[in-house]
Amino acid sequence: MGTKNQSSSSSKSTSEPKKRRRIGFITDDGIEAVDCIDIYLVSKREEVGSPDSFLLEPIDLDHFFDEDRRRFYGYKGLKIKVWINVISFHAYADISFESSSDGGRGITDLKSALQCIFAENLVEEKDVFLQTFSTERHYIKSVVSNAELLQHETSTEHKVFRIVGEPLGLLYCRLVPLVLLLVDGSNPIDVTDPSWEIYLLVKKCSDSQEDEHLQMLGFAAVYRFHRYPDSARMRLGQILVLPQYQRKGYGNCLVKVLNNVAIRENVYDLTVEEPEDSLQHVRTCIDVERLLAFDPIKSALESDVLRLKQENPAKRSVGDVRRFRPPASVVEDVRKTLKINKKQLLQCWEVLVYLGLDPIEKYMEGYRAIIADKVKADVIGKDSEVGGKRVVEVPTEHDQEMSFVMFKYDDGLSCKKDDENQANVEEQLQKLVDERMKQIKLSADKVSVQP
């Protein structure tokens, strides 16, 4: 900042230096929230602060912050450790930093920022948070006290409860931070809509010094909606198994529970809303096992497998892909009995045919060609048939937006552009085919090793 010089009365004629404008510089680039926050899942107070606590990684915080709020400003050496009590779902944040100052972008209110993630679950005092391991030990037990126990799905290791109504809303509000952190592309369900159901998978826990209590392993949120005229459909909207219990068969258990409920209550079908690859793999393996034991499909499956074994791949036409699918009567039998919809059946059919081919190498060329045609049809569809057509606006006395002319054309520039793009399109299609073949093989291998 400039300083004003002082002078005597005899030198008033001397010109005074001009004032300089004060210029502020932004010296704080901030730190990404994801780079300074660690989140741990704990089930005992002894695990809080322990190096053995289960760390969530990686984490995605984009759900919680607008793009311009994903960086924290005003802190040097900022580190935030958050512990989530998986018994009651309360959270506590331990915040540390070397210093704090305004570097031109203000100082982020960390409490407000963390509440964007954990909302009402966030506990300010550590002692209060530690007490939740005892005071809230029976939280899950209270939630399921009036819920329906699905007796058919109960084992010595775990129980499954169906929760609806007000208890669903109270439980789900505590689960929202975990859902947004752990379920890709998720949004909170509308807990005021009575059509939602939660299937809660729990296990018994006990300690020599504490009473027996229940702990959540995972849950599935299912929407039940009417199908005209007198039926209902079940749609799996969200499914989550806590990370420390994943790869132990609990997700498989939840999917099987939903299948059994759909059959027992005779709904129209069970669908899944935009399943992730991992969920689709589990679902496909389960359904392939069910289909292998379903007698009505065996004749149609054997027919497709035999045709593939006998045909010459060089003489196969593109239209043959339509023949390698179950007949409509089989599709309907599967839907009525197993509650598997057509789209899922067609995906399982690829695995079933693959298994029917053993698989033997000499049959794989024809099989891969069938898969390639199906992938191409799924990706390109009818758009592949509109090349050489153009829509052109023309002068008209009628509504301009409702008037056009379509004609075929063949100009050299477009043809050249098509030639340049074709190689890239084929390369991308082959990558998709490779990925689909990999998925089929993974499912087939999983089913093959089942006892």
Side-chain angles (χ1 to χ4, degrees):
M1 183 174 65
T3 303
K4 184 177 181 180
N5 294 331
Q6 300 294 325
S7 58
S8 63
S9 57
S10 60
S11 57
K12 289 182 180 180
S13 59
T14 305
S15 61
E16 297 180 353
K18 294 182 179 180
K19 295 181 179 180
R20 295 183 179 181
R21 176 178 293 182
R22 184 177 179 180
I23 300 176
F25 295 94
I26 296 177
T27 59
D28 185 3
D29 293 329
I31 182 172
E32 288 280 352
V34 71
D35 293 332
C36 64
I37 297 178
D38 287 334
I39 300 176
Y40 299 87
L41 302 184
V42 291
S43 58
K44 300 177 181 179
R45 62 180 296 156
E46 295 79 16
E47 296 174 356
V48 178
S50 168
D52 297 327
S53 301
F54 188 93
L55 174 64
L56 284 182
E57 56 180 351
I59 58 173
D60 182 2
L61 301 179
D62 290 351
H63 280 285
F64 305 100
F65 302 110
D66 296 332
E67 188 171 354
D68 58 344
R69 298 185 63 192
R70 293 174 187 168
R71 300 185 76 89
F72 296 163
Y73 298 100
Y75 300 92
K76 180 181 179 182
L78 178 62
K79 195 65 181 176
I80 303 174
K81 294 183 178 180
V82 180
W83 289 277
I84 299 178
N85 177 352
V86 295
I87 304 297
S88 66
F89 311 108
H90 288 98
Y92 170 73
D94 180 37
I95 303 172
S96 62
F97 50 88
E98 297 174 15
S99 61
S100 173
S101 62
D102 186 349
R105 296 182 183 272
I107 301 177
T108 300
D109 181 350
L110 297 178
K111 177 182 175 181
S112 175
L114 290 172
Q115 284 179 335
C116 289
I117 304 175
F118 302 102
E120 300 297 326
N121 293 5
L122 189 65
V123 177
E124 292 189 29
E125 301 294 332
K126 185 175 182 178
D127 288 342
V128 176
F129 173 71
L130 293 176
Q131 290 174 13
T132 62
F133 290 95
S134 56
T135 59
E136 297 276 340
R137 185 171 67 254
H138 297 298
Y139 173 68
I140 293 297
K141 187 175 181 179
S142 68
V143 169
V144 303
S145 59
N146 295 316
E148 176 189 359
L149 173 63
L150 301 179
Q151 297 286 355
H152 297 275
E153 321 303 342
T154 298
S155 74
T156 56
E157 296 181 358
H158 59 261
K159 294 181 179 181
V160 179
F161 293 88
R162 175 159 47 190
I163 303 173
V164 297
E166 183 179 355
L168 178 151
L170 296 174
L171 170 65
Y172 190 82
C173 286
R174 292 199 185 191
L175 294 176
V176 168
L178 285 175
V179 170
L180 297 181
L181 282 168
L182 299 173
V183 181
D184 288 345
S186 61
N187 288 300
I189 67 174
D190 180 5
V191 296
T192 64
D193 189 334
S195 296
W196 280 105
E197 303 171 346
I198 282 185
Y199 293 80
L200 191 67
L201 178 64
V202 303
K203 71 171 183 176
K204 290 183 178 180
C205 298
S206 61
D207 188 274
S208 58
Q209 299 179 349
E210 297 179 348
D211 297 334
E212 184 179 79
H213 62 278
L214 297 178
Q215 180 175 337
M216 185 189 83
L217 301 173
F219 78 93
V222 175
Y223 193 80
R224 190 180 293 250
F225 55 97
H226 176 73
R227 184 186 185 279
Y228 181 83
D230 56 359
S231 185
R233 307 181 76 177
M234 292 173 60
R235 181 180 65 203
L236 174 58
Q238 293 175 354
I239 186 169
L240 170 65
V241 174
L242 293 178
Q244 60 267 55
Y245 301 117
Q246 291 177 5
R247 300 188 181 279
K248 297 182 179 181
Y250 293 122
N252 186 293
C253 172
L254 279 170
V255 174
K256 287 182 176 179
V257 166
L258 299 181
N259 286 334
N260 293 340
V261 170
I263 293 171
R264 194 162 56 245
E265 299 182 2
N266 195 29
V267 300
Y268 183 81
D269 62 9
L270 170 64
T271 60
V272 179
E273 182 180 353
E274 300 180 1
E276 297 178 19
D277 290 344
S278 57
L279 173 58
Q280 183 58 38
H281 172 68
V282 170
R283 180 189 180 203
T284 298
C285 290
I286 292 173
D287 287 344
V288 167
E289 291 176 1
R290 300 165 69 204
L291 290 165
L292 285 170
F294 189 58
D295 288 337
I297 76 162
K298 291 183 177 178
S299 176
L301 179 59
E302 290 171 357
S303 176
D304 272 5
V305 171
L306 182 61
R307 189 182 306 123
L308 260 176
K309 287 181 176 180
Q310 292 178 342
E311 78 168 6
N312 183 347
K315 296 181 179 180
R316 184 188 59 82
S317 65
V318 175
D320 286 344
V321 67
R322 298 187 182 92
R323 294 190 292 113
F324 287 92
R325 59 179 59 186
S329 59
V330 170
V331 173
E332 185 63 8
D333 285 342
V334 169
R335 199 271 311 160
K336 285 183 177 180
T337 307
L338 301 181
K339 308 307 176 184
I340 300 174
N341 66 351
K342 181 178 179 180
K343 181 179 180 180
Q344 173 67 1
L345 174 58
L346 294 180
Q347 190 155 338
C348 292
W349 199 256
E350 297 172 357
V351 181
L352 291 166
V353 172
Y354 181 90
L355 287 168
L357 295 173
D358 285 334
I360 297 175
E361 186 64 30
K362 66 179 181 179
Y363 302 136
M364 287 298 100
E365 180 184 353
Y367 178 79
R368 181 184 172 88
I370 293 291
I371 298 301
D373 285 345
K374 294 183 70 174
V375 169
K376 185 175 181 180
D378 290 342
V379 174
I380 301 179
K382 295 181 180 180
D383 291 343
S384 61
E385 301 174 2
V386 300
K389 296 180 181 178
R390 177 179 294 173
V391 176
V392 177
E393 295 181 0
V394 294
T396 176
E397 59 184 13
H398 303 290
D399 185 352
Q400 186 67 36
E401 294 184 358
M402 301 295 293
S403 304
F404 64 90
V405 172
M406 177 181 286
F407 66 94
K408 288 189 175 183
Y409 71 96
D410 183 13
D411 61 85
L413 180 61
S414 298
C415 292
K416 182 178 180 180
K417 183 177 180 181
D418 288 343
D419 290 340
E420 292 174 351
N421 289 337
Q422 187 63 31
N424 183 51
V425 170
E426 291 297 331
E427 181 182 355
Q428 296 301 318
L429 283 173
Q430 287 307 310
K431 288 181 179 179
L432 292 174
V433 173
D434 290 341
E435 181 61 29
R436 184 66 192 134
M437 289 293 295
K438 180 181 177 181
Q439 293 170 349
I440 291 170
K441 186 177 186 304
L442 284 174
S443 298
D445 290 346
K446 179 73 172 180
V447 172
S448 298
V449 301
Q450 294 295 329

